[in-house]
């Protein structure tokens, strides 16, 4: 497995990240353990979660995903084989990016994860009510204490990312080393227009979410009737069920057939091949599904195939 540097941080990651948002939602603890074991055994090394995951599930409070990962870390003994990414700011228990909130959120995440360090810690969303030097200053203290190794920004605009990088430089504070935007074959414009030039200029890492567009790019949803196949994902995939989205599926089908691969593998391989992307995030609910996704790391697309996908997905 060829690992990739994450920005200018000390971290290197495999070209596919496991999304832990499904733990405590569509994946129970026992299945989560199986998936995490299979992910690490298949060459993966970064697991992405957040303190808020999955608070949207009836009966949940939030923190369930971290707790499941923590139990797996304790039981498996694989802490030194994986990197853990989690986030702060979106959970109503620890909202925003004030120093006092960040510290409380980090301590809570460490406790649930049953670990002494978080490898990659994201500001889950921007918080303009807090001066950036205060937010970054608290991250610096936590890095100094060994509780965080690197920091990232999720759902930040390009302008605010530029501002954060300038503050880091001016105050001698750690910088956001990784961005986490939405990016996939049917949602390209926002990232490519606003963030990608900055990513390349500043040598930032990128772990993009919705890599399979809520499952749409797996080819599972091709008609309105198909949306009922998944109560969890069908509604979110509906926005891509249009002529543009269907044209992308046709291109994926053609390339998948040529490689004896699946549309999901091709969609992930396209992201993996993007020079500015460190690794897409994808989740799975079965070991078979995970094995399919891991196969994307071994799928090398030709230049003409990438160009064909670029044309089909251009907005």
């Amino acid at each position: 497995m060829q690992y990739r540097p994450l920005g200018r941080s000390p971290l290197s990651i495999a070209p596919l990240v496991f999304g832990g948002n499904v733990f405590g939602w569509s994946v129970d603890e026992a299945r989560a353990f199986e998936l995490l074991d299979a992910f690490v055994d298949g060459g993966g090394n970064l697991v992405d979660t957040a303190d808020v995951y999955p608070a949207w599930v009836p009966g949940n409070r939030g923190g369930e995903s971290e707790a499941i990962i923590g139990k797996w870390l304790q039981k498996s003994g694989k802490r030194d084989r994986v990197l853990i990414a989690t986030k702060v700011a979106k959970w109503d228990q620890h909202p925003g990016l004030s120093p006092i909130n960040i510290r409380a959120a980090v301590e809570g995440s460490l406790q649930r994860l049953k670990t002494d360090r978080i490898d990659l810690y994201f500001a889950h969303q921007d918080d303009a009510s807090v001066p950036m030097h205060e937010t970054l200053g608290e991250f610096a203290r936590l890095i100094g204490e060994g509780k965080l190794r690197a920091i990232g920004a999720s759902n930040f605009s390009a302008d605010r990312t530029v501002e954060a990088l300038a503050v880091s430089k001016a105050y001698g504070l750690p910088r956001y080393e990784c961005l986490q935007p939405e990016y996939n074959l049917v949602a390209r414009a926002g990232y490519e227009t606003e963030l990608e030039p900055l990513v390349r200029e500043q040598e930032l890492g990128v772990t993009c979410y919705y890599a399979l567009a809520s499952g749409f790019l797996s080819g599972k949803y091709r008609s309105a009737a198909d949306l009922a196949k998944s109560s969890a994902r069908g509604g979110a995939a509906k926005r891509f069920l249009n002529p543009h989205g269907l044209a992308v599926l046709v291109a994926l089908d053609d390339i998948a057939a040529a490689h004896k691969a699946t549309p999901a593998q091709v969609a992930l391989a396209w992201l993996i091949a993007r020079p500015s992307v460190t690794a897409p995030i994808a989740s799975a609910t079965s070991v078979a599904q995970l094995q399919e996704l891991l196969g994307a790391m071994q799928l090398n697309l030709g230049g003409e195939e990438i160009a064909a996908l670029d044309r089909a997905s251009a907005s």
Side-chain angles (χ1 to χ4, degrees):
M1 181 60 60
Q2 187 170 2
Y3 287 3
R4 299 172 166 192
L6 190 71
R8 298 174 188 164
S9 80
L11 308 179
S12 293
I13 66 173
L16 185 69
V17 178
F18 192 98
N21 60 317
V22 291
F23 300 154
W25 176 21
S26 50
V27 173
D28 63 17
E29 182 177 301
R31 177 62 57 82
F33 284 19
E34 294 175 0
L35 289 165
L36 289 164
D37 283 331
F39 179 68
V40 175
D41 292 345
N45 74 325
L46 177 58
V47 178
D48 178 90
T49 187
D51 57 2
V52 71
Y53 294 166
W56 57 85
V57 177
N60 282 3
R61 294 183 62 253
E64 289 83 6
S65 174
E66 288 182 330
I68 288 173
I69 293 168
K71 290 178 183 178
W72 173 76
L73 289 173
Q74 188 175 58
K75 181 178 179 181
S76 70
K78 295 179 179 177
R79 180 62 183 95
D80 292 335
R81 294 179 61 186
V82 294
L83 302 174
I84 301 297
T86 192
K87 311 179 188 76
V88 61
K90 280 193 173 185
W91 193 16
D92 59 11
Q93 303 291 314
H94 293 295
L97 294 175
S98 68
I100 191 170
N101 182 67
I102 290 170
R103 181 160 292 270
V106 165
E107 296 297 347
S109 289
L110 289 171
Q111 185 176 18
R112 286 185 294 275
L113 289 165
K114 301 185 187 300
T115 187
D116 61 351
R117 67 196 183 279
I118 295 165
D119 300 292
L120 178 59
Y121 197 59
F122 283 98
H124 205 165
Q125 62 184 10
D126 194 7
D127 181 358
S129 71
V130 180
M132 277 192 175
H133 71 272
E134 293 185 10
T135 294
L136 292 165
E138 187 60 28
F139 286 145
R141 286 184 284 275
L142 289 160
I143 289 171
E145 294 166 19
K147 294 178 179 179
L148 307 180
R149 295 181 65 195
I151 55 173
S154 181
N155 302 303
F156 271 50
S157 69
D159 287 347
R160 289 287 283 174
T161 304
V162 168
E163 183 179 346
L165 293 170
V167 168
S168 294
K169 185 174 183 179
Y171 285 82
L173 297 170
R175 71 172 199 159
Y176 291 128
E177 291 292 350
C178 182
L179 301 185
Q180 194 172 103
E182 177 180 0
Y183 185 48
N184 57 58
L185 271 168
V186 285
R188 292 177 54 187
Y191 171 73
E192 292 179 13
T193 302
E194 299 294 327
L195 289 173
E196 189 171 40
L198 176 63
V199 164
R200 302 193 70 164
E201 175 191 323
Q202 295 294 324
E203 298 179 324
L204 299 172
V206 171
T207 56
C208 49
Y209 66 85
Y210 288 167
L212 292 176
S214 300
F216 176 78
L217 294 171
S218 71
K220 182 178 179 180
Y221 309 105
R222 295 173 185 265
S223 69
D226 290 336
L227 299 174
K229 291 178 180 178
S230 172
S231 58
R233 302 283 189 182
K238 183 178 181 179
R239 62 186 170 123
F240 305 116
L241 197 60
N242 53 47
H244 176 251
L246 293 174
V248 172
L249 291 186
V250 170
L252 288 173
D253 288 340
D254 290 344
I255 295 169
H259 285 272
K260 294 184 171 59
T262 66
Q265 289 174 328
V266 176
L268 291 174
W270 179 85
L271 286 169
I272 290 169
R274 190 88 183 178
S276 67
V277 172
T278 314
I281 303 169
S283 57
T285 57
S286 70
V287 172
Q289 187 181 57
L290 176 61
Q291 297 293 354
E292 175 192 352
L293 301 182
L294 288 170
M297 295 194 291
Q298 312 302 327
L299 180 56
N300 296 313
L301 300 179
E304 283 300 316
E305 291 171 325
I306 291 172
L309 289 169
D310 288 347
R311 289 192 297 271
S313 61
S315 55

